[in-house]
Amino acid sequence: MTIVLTVKLLRILFAVQVVFVPDYNVSVAEALIPASELSQHISTAGMEASGTSNMKFAMNGCILIGTLDGANVEIREEVGEENFFLFGAEAHEIAGLRKERAQGKFVPDPRFEEVKQFVRSGVFGTYNYDELMGSLEGNEGYGRADYFLVGKDFPSYIECQEKVDKAYRDQKLWTRMSILNTASSSKFSSDRTIHEYAKDIWDISPVVLP
Ligand SMILES: *[C@@H]1O[C@H](CO)[C@@H](O)[C@H](O)[C@H]1NC(C)=O
């Protein structure tokens, strides 16, 4: 069983090319975002860490895979749940899940344990992984005990990626999802945002130019 899973993981790893983009900035984003088909916005629900780049991806017809966090929530509302790949725990569950973990009730998915072992094996380089891996150990404390519930969300993430694979093989479906992401993202225009700030926060009115 373990051997089969490891081989599967290796296949996934070497079939996917991982590229690190150095000095990421707006100019790079202008080229990268319109060229993307799937973008991951996978912060723990309730952390408000999925910000505005997800809006830019969706606007450019890139489909999102993500948790119910930050702007993912609004994007999913706008583009429709069938055009967004959702996974993971929801914000209202997080405190309870951390409590369960503190009580030693969390049972890790064996596939997650295997990924941890795989990283520790040094396949990505001979770095010191103690801090990274240590954050997933123990049952309590900020920065420990898998505070961000990566292990908890992992099985749901894998299942969701399987849905992504299936949808990607259906070119018509994927194209439709992509177009609907662009077509439904007008809410995220800066015009709308600034208008709302002017009205609700700054309390200023537009000036009509002659
Ligand atoms: C982004 O970085 C590149 C070089 O790394 C630079 O040429 C470009 O002007 C930068 N763009 C912005 C918008 O700062």
Side-chain angles (χ1 to χ4, degrees):
M1 185 67 178
T2 311
I3 290 164
V4 171
L5 277 170
T6 307
V7 170
K8 205 172 159 195
L9 272 170
L10 280 167
R11 279 219 325 264
I12 293 166
L13 193 79
F14 293 110
V16 176
Q17 193 178 19
V18 180
V19 178
F20 172 71
V21 181
D23 304 324
Y24 183 74
N25 67 6
V26 171
S27 309
V28 179
E30 279 172 2
L32 205 139
I33 293 178
S36 303
E37 295 179 300
L38 179 75
S39 186
Q40 313 206 45
H41 300 267
I42 60 181
S43 45
T44 317
M47 302 303 291
E48 292 297 324
S50 274
T52 54
S53 73
N54 45 359
M55 298 175 186
K56 294 166 191 125
F57 280 102
M59 258 180 195
N60 281 280
C62 174
I63 301 166
L64 308 183
I65 177 168
T67 46
L68 268 187
D69 185 54
N72 281 349
V73 179
E74 289 163 277
I75 295 171
R76 184 166 167 268
E77 265 167 30
E78 292 301 308
V79 306
E81 55 185 76
E82 69 283 11
N83 300 310
F84 185 105
F85 294 108
L86 179 74
F87 74 92
E90 294 185 23
H92 66 91
E93 301 171 305
I94 303 294
L97 289 167
R98 284 195 186 122
K99 206 168 150 196
E100 273 179 25
R101 171 108 184 189
Q103 293 163 348
K105 287 186 193 157
F106 175 65
V107 182
D109 190 289
R111 294 169 300 180
F112 186 64
E113 293 305 298
E114 196 169 350
V115 169
K116 280 160 62 186
Q117 265 178 31
F118 193 59
V119 174
R120 271 194 195 282
S121 78
V123 69
F124 297 110
T126 51
Y127 308 106
N128 183 347
Y129 293 105
D130 291 349
E131 197 175 326
L132 176 68
M133 290 302 163
S135 72
L136 303 170
E137 308 297 338
N139 283 332
E140 253 175 305
Y142 185 79
R144 298 277 308 160
D146 194 10
Y147 189 79
F148 298 103
L149 300 157
V150 182
K152 174 71 195 171
D153 279 354
F154 186 77
S156 152
Y157 172 74
I158 298 286
E159 253 170 56
C160 193
Q161 284 285 13
E162 277 160 10
K163 283 187 207 149
V164 169
D165 287 353
K166 196 161 169 246
Y168 193 74
R169 280 186 221 112
D170 185 343
Q171 198 175 356
K172 245 186 165 162
L173 171 69
W174 192 277
T175 306
R176 184 189 150 82
M177 291 175 77
S178 166
I179 290 171
L180 285 173
N181 265 264
T182 301
S184 315
S185 58
S186 65
K187 185 180 174 187
F188 306 110
S189 84
S190 44
D191 283 352
R192 198 271 310 160
T193 313
I194 298 302
H195 189 83
E196 216 169 274
Y197 272 46
K199 197 167 126 276
D200 301 339
I201 297 170
W202 303 323
D203 195 20
I204 51 173
S205 322
V207 174
V208 182
L209 292 174

